[in-house]
Amino acid sequence: MALRIVPGTAGHPLATALARCLGLEPATCTVERFPDGELRPRVGTVRGDDVYLVQSTGPPVSERLVELLLLLDACRRAGADRVTAVVPYFGYARQDRRTRAGEAIGARVAADVLTAAGAQRLLVVDPHTTALETMFAIPVEMLTAVPVLAAALSASVPDDTVVVAPDLGAVKIAERVAARLDCSVAVVRKTRISGTSVRATELTGDVRNHPVLIVDDMISTGATIEAAAHILLAHGATPDITVAATHGLLVADAVERLQALQLRRLLVTDSVALPPNPPPWMEVRSIAALLSNAVAGLHRGEALDDLLPQS
């Protein structure tokens, strides 16, 4: 059973880098778009192959998800022996529970339709919630980009840096980064006012006269990072602020918000397509090697224990 990497339009650069790490060329894949926005994808020869379909569901999330579903169906109908959805950033993962009556559980809906479309396994990187795995009937492999981020930060982070989780949901990833950098951890508690507005309400940990490294799984509008930075500075942290996140969605006015904070450095991965002409203080590290190790291991039927997040 041959190994094939199939790129979606949202994952083409990363899929190409992943394929090259494996000594392969990505399979042919085209997506025709009708005038009304309807998509019609077509994949090349994959009959009998072990297919890894690479498509992040970053902005615009719903369109990327529909394309992923159609590509999964195309691979299945083209006779692929096994199809793994490689979704470095999994949209709708934040919708893992209802917060009030009348809401949908978006993560569960996405899980159901991915499985129905033909995904036999899912590979994700630092999903917003580990509960995502419980919503799927198929195997889910959850990788972490912490080693990639920590390696990029290790040479430039001062010894007295405090790693900060900007909300309770980011505590685990902040602790993993801090453990690799041998730093202490602080935690910000926040209250979300709206989709673009956040208020930081409490800080646990000592940041006075320390440089800080804010770590999160994703940056969307930048509101969480902005609120965390303000409370850190109010508690005496030095203005030498670094931010690191796996997924740099950077929607709306996120870049302008972060620019106003005068960050020392912003580090993200290439899990999603980044805006053109990124500012000079933004640095991107690739997760292609991380994904290639996982894909190679899965293709050979090996366990991925060394690549999975450690609690």
Side-chain angles (χ1 to χ4, degrees), residues 127-218:
H128 193 68
T129 174
T130 55
L132 185 67
E133 183 175 16
T134 68
M135 299 181 186
F136 279 85
I138 59 175
V140 177
E141 306 290 351
M142 295 189 293
L143 308 182
T144 180
V146 164
V148 176
L149 297 174
L153 293 163
S154 59
S156 60
V157 171
D159 293 339
D160 60 341
T161 295
V162 177
V163 176
V164 178
D167 58 25
L168 295 179
V171 170
K172 284 293 185 183
I173 191 171
E175 288 177 341
R176 292 174 188 137
V177 171
R180 286 180 172 265
L181 299 178
D182 194 23
C183 295
S184 59
V185 177
V187 180
V188 173
R189 292 178 180 269
K190 76 174 184 184
T191 299
R192 179 166 291 282
I193 301 169
S194 69
T196 59
S197 180
V198 168
R199 181 173 67 249
T201 57
E202 183 181 343
L203 173 66
T204 302
D206 181 18
V207 298
R208 184 168 297 278
N209 297 323
H210 289 281
V212 290
L213 165 61
I214 304 174
V215 177
D216 209 345
D217 63 297
M218 60 180 286

Side-chain angles (χ1 to χ4, degrees), residues 40-112:
R40 183 166 67 181
R42 182 181 181 186
V43 298
T45 303
V46 296
R47 184 168 298 279
D49 292 340
D50 185 13
V51 170
Y52 292 80
L53 170 58
V54 183
Q55 170 83 340
S56 266
T57 51
V61 177
S62 298
E63 180 174 323
R64 301 303 193 194
L65 177 60
V66 170
E67 181 185 332
L68 173 59
L69 297 175
L70 294 174
L71 284 170
L72 285 168
D73 187 68
C75 289
R76 179 173 61 87
R77 294 179 187 277
D81 190 75
R82 183 172 63 185
V83 182
T84 298
V86 181
V87 189
Y89 171 70
F90 192 95
Y92 288 101
R94 286 178 288 184
Q95 297 186 38
D96 61 329
R97 62 189 181 279
R98 294 190 303 162
T99 58
R100 54 183 178 265
E103 290 184 337
I105 302 178
R108 180 57 189 266
V109 174
D112 288 345

